[in-house]
Amino acid sequence: HFRDNTLRQTHNMAWFKRTDKGIQTSTEDKKDTPKGLWYKTPSGKVIDTEELKRNLYVSPEDGYHVRIGSKEYFELFFDDNKFKELNKGLTSKDPLSFEDTKKYPDRLKAAQEKTKLNDAVRTAVGKSLGKDIVIAAMDFAFIGGSMGSVVGEKIARAIDYSIKNKMPFLMVSKSGGARMMEASLSLMQLVKTSSKLAQLAGAKIPYISLCTDPTTGGTTASYAMLGDINIAEPNALIAFAGPRVVRDTTGKDLPEGFQKSEFVLEHGFLDAIYERKDLKTQINLYIDLIQNLPIRKELAVS
C-alpha cells in the first residue's frame, strides 16, 4: 500500500476539515514524516521509507523534500544530535474560551497526545560544526504549525538567550499562519518576535531564517522574512495568503510555480535556496560571513 501525498495543500483555514476527491483529512492528522514501508512523492516516485530517512527525507529520484519536524531538523543541525531544549514546559491556555468543531483545550490536548509536543515550536541550544547556536524549529503536525502565544513567547525567549550568550540564532519556519483560536493574542506575536529580532540585530548577533514548506500567514509577515539571510528549501510554499485564496480573490490564473521558493527567490524575497543536505554547511558559512570570521576548516572547499 503506497502512501499518496499529492493532495497536500496549506491555507489559513487549515484547522477545518476539508473533503477533496472523497478523502477527508484535517491538518492535525497530517504527519511531518512518512509512516509505513513506502512513500510516494507528488510526481509519483516510490521510495522505501528507510532509504528516505537515510537521505534526510529527500527523494533521490526527483529531489522532493518531504516535510519534517523539529526532531529531524535538530538531528540535522546539532552536532551528534546533542542539545539543551529551552522552555520545554510552556503550554497554551484558552483565554478566549474558543470553540469551533472542538473546544480549544480539547484540540490542544489531542494535538499534544498525537505529536508528543507541547506546542508548535521547539527551541534549543547546542553546537553546529563546533560552534554554539540557538535554534527554533516549528512543527506543522501541531495544529498546522500555527503561531499562538506560546510560539511567540518561546521564540522571544530563545532570542533573549542568544543575546545574553552572544550566540547566532536560526529560525526554521513551517507554519499555516497565526492561530485563530487565540485571535488578537496570536497577532501580537508578530510584533513581539519582530521587536526581539530588532534587539538581536542591535546586539550584532547573526540571524538566519530558513523557510520550509509551508511558510505562510503571520509567520511570513514577521520573523520568517526578517533574517540577515533568508533562505529556503526547494519547492517550499512561501506566501502570506496561499495560492488558492489568491486565485479565488482575483479570479485569475496564477503563474507556474506561484509562491514556491524558486518563484519567491526570482522576485527578490529570498537570498538563496539550498537542498537539505547542504543546509548545515551553508548556514554556518553565512554565520561566519556575517561575523567577519575566517572560514573554518570544516567549511573550506577543496
Side-chain angles (χ1 to χ4, degrees):
H1 297 283
F2 299 142
R3 182 182 172 100
D4 190 342
N5 287 287
T6 59
L7 298 177
R8 288 183 171 179
Q9 296 178 358
T10 303
H11 50 80
N12 290 337
M13 299 292 284
W15 46 276
F16 282 119
K17 286 188 175 181
R18 62 180 175 274
T19 302
D20 189 6
K21 297 182 180 179
I23 300 174
Q24 189 177 69
T25 312
S26 69
T27 298
E28 271 184 38
D29 293 334
K30 291 188 175 182
K31 301 295 184 182
D32 278 347
T33 52
K35 307 297 180 184
L37 297 176
W38 302 94
Y39 182 84
K40 187 177 180 181
T41 71
S43 67
K45 303 297 182 182
V46 177
I47 180 175
D48 176 81
T49 52
E50 286 302 314
E51 182 183 354
L52 188 67
K53 182 178 180 180
R54 289 192 296 271
N55 204 44
L56 303 177
Y57 295 99
V58 178
S59 169
E61 288 197 59
D62 58 9
Y64 178 72
H65 283 55
V66 178
R67 287 178 183 169
I68 58 176
S70 57
K71 175 181 179 293
E72 292 76 23
Y73 281 113
F74 285 173
E75 289 175 354
L76 175 63
F77 291 125
F78 287 123
D79 296 342
D80 302 318
N81 196 29
K82 294 180 180 178
F83 58 88
K84 173 187 174 185
E85 188 163 350
L86 304 173
N87 305 299
K88 184 177 180 179
L90 290 184
T91 57
S92 294
K93 301 297 183 183
D94 184 26
L96 305 180
S97 301
F98 190 94
E99 182 175 356
D100 48 88
T101 57
K102 287 183 182 179
K103 292 182 178 179
Y104 185 36
D106 294 339
R107 190 175 294 281
L108 284 169
K109 183 179 179 181
Q112 289 165 350
E113 290 177 351
K114 179 164 289 189
T115 64
K116 309 305 179 187
L117 300 167
N118 284 331
D119 215 287
V121 72
R122 292 170 70 206
T123 56
V125 58
K127 291 187 181 296
S128 185
L129 294 180
K131 293 193 67 175
D132 292 327
I133 189 171
V134 177
I135 302 177
M138 302 189 73
D139 284 277
F140 192 75
F142 194 98
I143 315 184
S146 51
M147 177 183 60
S149 53
V150 166
V151 170
E153 181 65 18
K154 289 184 75 170
I155 293 172
R157 292 190 188 188
I159 295 170
D160 282 340
Y161 191 97
S162 289
I163 295 172
K164 180 180 179 180
N165 296 281
K166 296 180 173 57
M167 296 178 183
F169 179 60
L170 167 64
M171 182 75 227
V172 183
S173 296
K174 185 186 298 285
S175 174
R179 188 171 299 174
M180 291 186 175
M181 301 78 157
E182 297 187 24
S184 59
L185 297 177
S186 292
L187 298 180
M188 289 168 60
Q189 309 313 309
L190 280 74
V191 179
K192 179 161 67 176
T193 54
S194 298
S195 63
K196 284 295 180 182
L197 288 171
Q199 294 176 16
L200 189 73
K204 300 188 184 304
I205 295 173
Y207 167 43
I208 309 296
S209 174
L210 169 60
C211 299
T212 70
D213 183 55
T215 299
T216 64
T219 299
T220 310
S222 56
Y223 51 82
M225 283 295 169
L226 293 177
D228 297 314
I229 303 291
N230 296 324
I231 62 177
E233 292 184 336
N235 205 41
L237 175 65
I238 302 171
F240 180 69
R244 181 189 60 80
V245 175
V246 175
R247 186 185 298 109
D248 291 349
T249 302
T250 63
K252 296 181 179 180
D253 292 332
L254 303 176
E256 184 70 24
F258 182 65
Q259 295 181 324
K260 293 295 186 177
S261 49
E262 292 77 10
F263 183 94
V264 178
L265 174 66
E266 182 180 347
H267 289 78
F269 288 90
L270 286 174
D271 295 296
I273 297 171
Y274 295 111
E275 294 186 13
R276 195 168 286 161
K277 64 181 176 61
D278 299 323
L279 284 172
K280 185 175 182 178
T281 297
Q282 293 296 335
I283 286 169
N284 277 281
L285 276 170
Y286 279 130
I287 289 172
D288 288 356
L289 175 66
I290 294 169
Q291 294 182 313
N292 197 27
L293 297 173
I295 296 178
R296 284 171 268 169
K297 62 179 181 180
E298 300 94 329
L299 302 175
V301 178
S302 58

